[in-house]
Amino acid sequence: MTKLLEWLGGAGALGAIWLALLTNKIENPFFRDHYTFLLLSPIIVVGLFGLASLLLVLYRVYTFNDCNDAAAELQKEIVEAKQDLKSLGFKFKDSFK
Amino acid sequence: MTATLSFRLYLLLLLSLTCPTMAPNNKYSILLPTYNEVENLPIIIWLLVKHMNSSGHPYEIIIIDDGSPDGTLEAAEQLQRIYGKEKIVLRPREKKLGLGTAYIHGVKHATGNFVIIMDADLSHHPKFIKEMIEKQKSNDYDVVTGTRYVGTGGVYGWDFRRKLISRGANLLTQILLRPAVSDLTGSFRLYKKDVLESLTNSCISKGYVFQMEMIIRARQKNYTIGEVPISFVDRVYGESKLGGSEIVQFVRGLVYLFATT
Ligand SMILES: Nc1nc2c(ncn2[C@@H]2O[C@H](COP(=O)(O)OP(=O)(O)OP(=O)(O)O)[C@@H](O)[C@H]2O)c(=O)[nH]1
Ligand SMILES: [Mg+2]
């Protein structure tokens, strides 16, 4: 089964429950008393999910490792490599000394 | 308790001494696709030779240059003269035909039973190959992929915008495809050779969406995948690109994989 079908299946199942609650096919005292909440719940769920995702992304951007050491080490190795390669007889292009 | 343990160790030692065939003779073919990497190629080769020699694993480096106008191939020929035809294998093509087909082309000429793919632009450091090999051995993984997003992994040279796009795209992919792999678009990976061959044959995407399709299809085919944190240093020489067209490509690739896997 493709991910698309999984998502459609999941959304369909949740949507069916929601509709059943909305049309009172499933009796539930809580949702009967909070009808607008039930009506808006899909939007609330999607909104909260979006907000959580946004916060998670920002947190991950903030905690993304900056590999400054790796970059500095590489710079040193480039110098070393060029010297060694020259001594092995490698001819670098003129634009690159 | 300790007696049985040392006895077992003794047996193991005996076994490894008496039948050397027990230790499989692995060889690692490193595929290096290049397009206009004349500055980077000598450095990456030097680093590869240094780290692979010290790791002691048998290896070869296969350079697949696509007719770079900047003289990458001449640099590669010089390097072959320095390091020998055993270590440096040249498999150039006439013109720029893309990364995906470069791997297919290179793997045809690979004599190792494992293949490592990496970029030649110095964003992937050869020092991680040893860790990838160890990871592979630890669980006989079919694929080991480098990851920028986990543990000590990370990036250098990315601004806020680039990080945001990268993290956002990654989370979206995680939600939609649930791949159980943290870095989908990375291109620093180790494959069993037959696994790589079967994957390249079933992947049709281009560019770095290709890397994503490879790892998603690997999951789909129930190959086992290990991960090794890597530091990704953005290219030092040459221009890096992340523009609108890359993002459009990514979204199309994501939708395609969402609907077909
Ligand atoms: N043979 C071959 N190699 C290629 C081609 N396109 C890119 N490459 C090489 O593939 C590797 C990855 O390409 P990059 O241009 O670095 O792609 P990227 O890392 O997504 O983008 P950057 O941010 O520019 O580094 C490099 O070693 C390139 O030289 C191609 O068409 N043919
Ligand atoms: Mg690159």
Side-chain angles (χ1 to χ4, degrees), chain A residues 3 6 77 84 91 93, chain B residues 46 70 78 125 178 261:
Chain A
K3 287 288 177 291
E6 282 177 30
E77 286 173 319
D84 193 39
K91 299 268 179 298
K93 270 187 96 176
Chain B
W46 185 86
D70 72 347
Q78 282 195 61
H125 199 291
R178 296 194 304 281
T261 65

Side-chain angles (χ1 to χ4, degrees), chain B residues 79-95:
Chain B
L79 291 160
Q80 191 183 43
R81 279 197 292 278
I82 291 172
Y83 293 113
K85 289 197 158 126
E86 294 280 300
K87 293 260 179 287
I88 312 283
V89 181
L90 306 184
R91 292 289 173 254
R93 300 187 296 180
E94 285 295 307
K95 57 176 198 288

